[in-house]
Amino acid sequence: MAKAQPRRKKSIKRGMDFTGQTCFYDLPDMPTKGITSLTNTKPAIATAVGHGLKTGDVIWVESEESEGINGYYLVDVSNEDTFALMILDGEDIGTITDAKFTTPKRYSFCDATSVKISAFKTKEQDVTTICDDGTVVELIREAGTISLSSLWVPDKPVQEFLEEMAEELETIFMTLKPKGSKTIRGYQVKITSYDWDGKSGDKWQAALELKINGRGRRVKITTGAE
């Protein structure tokens, strides 16, 4: 009687190599391209004839009559004249007629050696009032943080930009796309600390702490928004 062949255990690759593309974005002085309309949908769809964008691009949007929409967005392009603004909820913005956008300058940041992202945090808050029979606790959301370690290269444009933005307390935007992933993640952030250290015979190291402003954005560059 023939012996049964032993079953081979299927090999499963876990995790991904820590490689990818991290970028920071510098805001130009004045948005120049007009947005004809923004839909009251989630996400909001912008109409801008011949916008020239592609899915995964980063833009800055600005409006004087509705400053609440001002900020950085990842875009999910529908066609040559329309695109979705991730994560703008258009259900409550009303009618906006003066919105404009621009494409910021992008700095690739290849010096990163590690990154830790806490996209958001929560904590319990006591909201008990005199009308409650017992303790009432609500879970509230706090701003997330990003910790980034890198090699420090003095006089490199991207690192000069980050140092300037840290000193000016400016809001900037960063994106992260791990190698092999179809999803680009974006975060509007402020730099809360920027440190350098080194020792004899070794490379200079840098450490950045960033505070996330609002929700993160993400978009799939092959199948569209998620």
Side-chain angles (χ1 to χ4, degrees):
M1 183 175 179
K3 292 184 179 180
Q5 294 294 320
R7 295 182 63 184
R8 293 185 178 179
K9 190 174 181 179
K10 186 176 180 181
S11 175
I12 300 175
K13 184 178 180 181
R14 301 182 183 276
M16 300 175 66
D17 294 335
F18 181 69
T19 54
Q21 185 180 53
T22 300
C23 298
F24 289 96
Y25 296 82
D26 188 7
L27 178 64
D29 292 334
M30 183 71 69
T32 56
K33 300 178 182 179
I35 294 176
T36 306
S37 65
L38 283 169
T39 62
N40 298 122
T41 57
K42 185 178 180 179
I45 307 298
T47 297
V49 177
H51 53 68
L53 300 170
K54 64 181 183 300
T55 294
D57 280 350
V58 174
I59 63 172
W60 169 268
V61 176
E62 190 169 304
S63 165
E64 290 186 4
E65 65 184 33
S66 185
E67 294 183 356
I69 73 167
N70 294 0
Y72 292 94
Y73 297 92
L74 284 170
V75 301
D76 176 24
V77 172
S78 306
N79 54 52
E80 62 184 11
D81 298 325
T82 62
F83 53 88
L85 296 172
M86 312 304 295
I87 53 172
L88 179 60
D89 184 351
E91 294 177 349
D92 297 319
I93 64 175
T95 301
I96 299 176
T97 60
D98 72 333
K100 295 181 179 180
F101 78 93
T102 190
T103 303
K105 180 178 180 180
R106 185 179 74 170
Y107 292 97
S108 293
F109 193 64
C110 299
D111 305 313
T113 56
S114 70
V115 61
K116 179 180 179 181
I117 300 175
S118 299
F120 63 91
K121 301 177 181 180
T122 59
K123 73 174 183 179
E124 291 185 343
Q125 183 177 44
D126 188 341
V127 294
T128 307
T129 69
I130 59 173
C131 297
D132 296 314
D133 294 331
T135 302
V136 179
V137 175
E138 288 184 353
L139 199 63
I140 64 171
R141 180 171 178 159
E142 295 185 318
T145 58
I146 298 175
S147 299
L148 195 152
S149 299
S150 72
L151 300 178
W152 184 49
V153 186
D155 306 323
K156 194 171 185 178
V158 62
Q159 301 207 24
E160 289 185 336
F161 164 67
L162 291 173
E163 184 176 355
E164 180 182 355
M165 294 299 97
E167 292 173 345
E168 299 293 334
L169 303 178
E170 291 287 345
T171 296
I172 60 175
F173 197 73
M174 68 172 290
T175 57
L176 174 66
K177 180 184 176 295
K179 185 177 181 179
S181 173
K182 298 177 181 178
T183 301
I184 297 176
R185 286 173 167 79
Y187 303 93
Q188 189 167 274
V189 298
K190 280 192 175 183
I191 300 172
T192 56
S193 70
Y194 195 3
D195 305 311
W196 306 278
D197 67 80
K199 59 184 179 180
S200 179
D202 203 352
K203 296 181 182 296
W204 278 93
Q205 306 289 321
L208 290 94
E209 295 292 330
L210 308 104
K211 182 177 181 180
I212 300 174
N213 293 340
R215 292 178 56 193
R217 296 96 161 107
R218 62 179 181 173
V219 65
K220 285 190 176 181
I221 58 174
T222 56
T223 58
E226 66 169 15

